[in-house]
Amino acid sequence: MQRVPPATSFDVLVVGSGASGLAAAVSASRAGARVALATKTTLQACNSAKAQGGIQAAFGDDDSPEIHAEDVMRSSHGTAEPELVQVLTSEAPAAIHWLEELGVAFTRSNGGYRLARCGGASRKRLLQVGDRTGHAITKALRDAYEAGAGVVLAHHALTELAPGASGWIASFRTKDGASRVEAGAVVLAAGGRCFAEAETRGELSTNHPNATGEVTRIALEAGAEVRDLDALQYHPNGGAWPSTMQGYSIPETTRAYGAVLRNADGAEFTDSLGPRDAVSQAIFDEVETGKGVTTPDGRPAVWLDTTRIALEDAEISLPYMLRRYRGAGIDPLEEPIYTYPVLHYQNGGLVIDERAETTLEGVFACGEIAGGTHGRNRMMGNSLLECTVFGRRAGKAAAERAWS
Ligand SMILES: Cc1cc2nc3c(=O)[nH]c(=O)nc-3n(C[C@H](O)[C@H](O)[C@H](O)COP(=O)(O)OP(=O)(O)OC[C@H]3O[C@@H](n4cnc5c(N)ncnc54)[C@H](O)[C@@H]3O)c2cc1C
């Protein structure tokens, strides 16, 4: 693998090294394209690697891609784009098998995948790699990309995108100043903006500091269309105490494996496995009406009663979460934990078609930067899936576009 590009011209330029950018880069590279993968800081830095809970795909005997699609449409309150949802759910099983071929070892039990039911889902559909699913997926994709001929441009922050003679010209801020890359096609995979948005609002966020959203603005300036950009998602279960866990996203799988939300009186006040927006709103309302609790440092919260999780489920599917809390002096299997919603995900983004092409010819988008697949309210586990399904599609289509 070359770390220094031999030229500033490539067939395909991918911007961003999260799951979607890596999937696109692997896919374009395997299609035979000369690929450059540019990323703001290091190759490892992204939100995707922080994802713990899992990835959805209809593998259960009582499940199907159609039922998965119905769950997505219902959770989005009818705002998701049906054509994109159909692609997402029908290609989900193949995407899982592709990840397995690249080395991702999904947790298994009783001869099949260990499937959990996540918020808004009517079936058990969430595959997991313990509770480090995003880490496992990004590592496998990185290894696959680095084993090929693709180039890595680390510490390249995109600052501008402009049409060129035979494609697009991308300008970057680098450690040494600035650089420009020409490409027949570009895949934008630079994620969402919830870290920056939380800073502006003075709130906590689960996001990586690189989630600042400037690439969406750059695409807008180049003429791309966006949708649902105002629809930001709160993760219902941000860690609220101890202070070292503030902003930590307590995996939704805690609730899939039996944890429930309780108010100050110990009463359950909502369906703990409802869609994310409904559960977050129920917590906000409970606190608003004075039935919440207060953390030792004065923050609003409710209880997540994790003591109901069976030891075996916790050890198989929540080991990282347990380690983090126990390391901070709290055993979630012995006592409930403080939780409050925290800014987590950008639901909307660049308008794309089924091939992941934006409204700009030769510019593709995948992952959190793209809009439509989740409408205004994403279900848990569908983002890593979107990254894989549409990342693969974007990489392949970009390679074809670069040669056309
Ligand atoms: C804590 C946490 C837990 C989650 N858990 C789950 C889960 O269990 N299941 C699930 O499906 N989803 C989960 N999600 C959501 C999901 O992980 C993300 O939405 C998804 O991985 C985003 O992938 P991405 O490739 O679009 O962006 P990211 O992974 O955020 O990657 C974006 C990349 O773009 C780079 N970049 C940014 N700006 C620029 C620039 N100007 N120039 C160049 N590069 C740039 C960044 O450095 C980064 O490499 C979770 C998210 C978080 C934060």
Side-chain angles (χ1 to χ4, degrees):
M1 196 206 61
Q2 296 158 291
R3 287 214 171 258
V4 179
T8 55
S9 172
F10 297 89
D11 295 329
V12 174
L13 169 69
V14 178
V15 180
S17 59
S20 66
L22 290 165
V26 171
S27 168
S29 189
R30 290 188 169 191
R34 291 177 308 117
V35 181
L37 174 57
T39 193
K40 185 151 65 176
T41 54
T42 65
L43 196 56
Q44 289 79 5
C46 61
N47 268 343
S48 303
K50 287 161 70 81
Q52 302 166 78
I55 177 168
Q56 289 203 49
F59 280 107
D61 291 340
D62 61 348
D63 203 2
S64 69
E66 291 73 28
I67 298 174
H68 185 177
E70 283 165 21
D71 287 349
V72 177
M73 291 307 298
R74 192 178 53 254
S75 295
S76 79
H77 311 292
T79 60
E81 202 63 47
E83 291 80 8
L84 298 181
V85 176
Q86 199 268 337
V87 169
L88 180 82
T89 64
S90 64
E91 285 185 14
I96 296 297
H97 293 317
W98 186 66
L99 290 173
E100 286 180 319
E101 282 163 28
L102 299 181
V104 180
F106 290 101
T107 308
R108 292 182 161 265
S109 63
N110 303 322
Y113 297 116
R114 183 175 168 85
L115 299 176
R117 187 165 84 82
C118 49
S122 60
R123 303 287 191 275
K124 288 187 175 183
R125 188 185 299 129
L126 191 77
L127 287 83
Q128 308 128 66
V129 183
D131 58 358
R132 302 297 311 278
T133 311
H135 172 77
I137 289 174
T138 47
K139 181 173 185 319
L141 288 168
R142 254 194 326 269
D143 289 349
Y145 184 66
E146 291 188 311
V151 167
V152 174
L153 303 173
H155 298 283
H156 274 59
L158 186 75
T159 53
E160 194 188 352
L161 191 61
S166 54
W168 291 88
I169 298 173
S171 303
F172 292 97
R173 190 178 59 250
T174 69
K175 276 183 164 175
D176 307 321
S179 80
R180 272 151 54 102
V181 170
E182 249 190 302
V186 176
V187 179
L188 299 178
R193 69 178 198 281
C194 280
F195 183 86
E197 189 72 31
E199 276 202 325
T200 307
R201 296 183 186 190
E203 296 180 12
L204 297 172
S205 163
T206 59
N207 277 208
H208 187 282
N210 284 3
T212 42
E214 67 275 11
V215 174
T216 304
R217 178 184 44 75
I218 291 165
L220 269 167
E221 284 166 4
E225 287 174 27
V226 291
R227 53 171 290 167
D228 303 320
L229 253 198
D230 61 312
L232 297 179
Q233 181 171 74
Y234 281 85
H235 188 300
N237 287 153
W241 185 259
S243 58
T244 50
M245 300 306 286
Q246 284 168 352
Y248 170 73
S249 74
I250 303 166
E252 195 164 304
T253 32
T254 50
R255 286 175 277 135
Y257 288 113
V260 292
L261 292 158
R262 296 190 192 279
N263 63 19
D265 303 326
E268 281 187 53
F269 56 88
T270 189
D271 170 9
S272 291
L273 276 182
R276 278 193 165 165
D277 56 349
V279 180
S280 293
Q281 194 57 50
I283 297 173
F284 289 134
D285 292 347
E286 203 67 7
V287 167
E288 190 68 34
T289 52
K291 293 184 194 153
V293 292
T294 306
T295 64
D297 66 345
R299 290 173 183 270
V302 295
W303 293 116
L304 181 64
D305 184 357
T306 40
T307 64
R308 294 165 39 119
I309 303 170
L311 179 63
E312 190 197 1
D313 287 337
E315 284 177 345
I316 294 174
S317 293
L318 298 162
Y320 178 70
M321 183 282 247
L322 278 187
R323 246 191 345 268
R324 291 281 311 262
Y325 268 96
R326 284 172 175 166
I330 288 175
D331 186 345
L333 300 185
E334 296 292 331
E335 56 182 309
I337 52 182
Y338 289 100
T339 187
Y340 194 69
V342 59
L343 209 50
H344 185 59
Y345 186 81
Q346 173 183 302
N347 290 299
L350 299 170
V351 171
I352 56 165
D353 63 17
E354 290 98 308
R355 298 169 69 242
E357 191 161 18
T358 68
T359 50
L360 298 175
E361 204 178 320
V363 178
F364 298 79
C366 49
E368 195 168 335
I369 198 172
T373 311
H374 315 290
R376 296 180 65 80
N377 186 45
R378 174 180 71 99
M379 293 176 79
M380 183 224 169
N382 273 347
S383 180
L384 288 175
L385 178 61
E386 174 189 37
C387 288
T388 311
V389 167
F390 285 96
R392 282 177 84 188
R393 283 191 162 229
K396 184 165 176 290
E400 287 163 2
R401 169 72 66 179
W403 297 322
S404 65

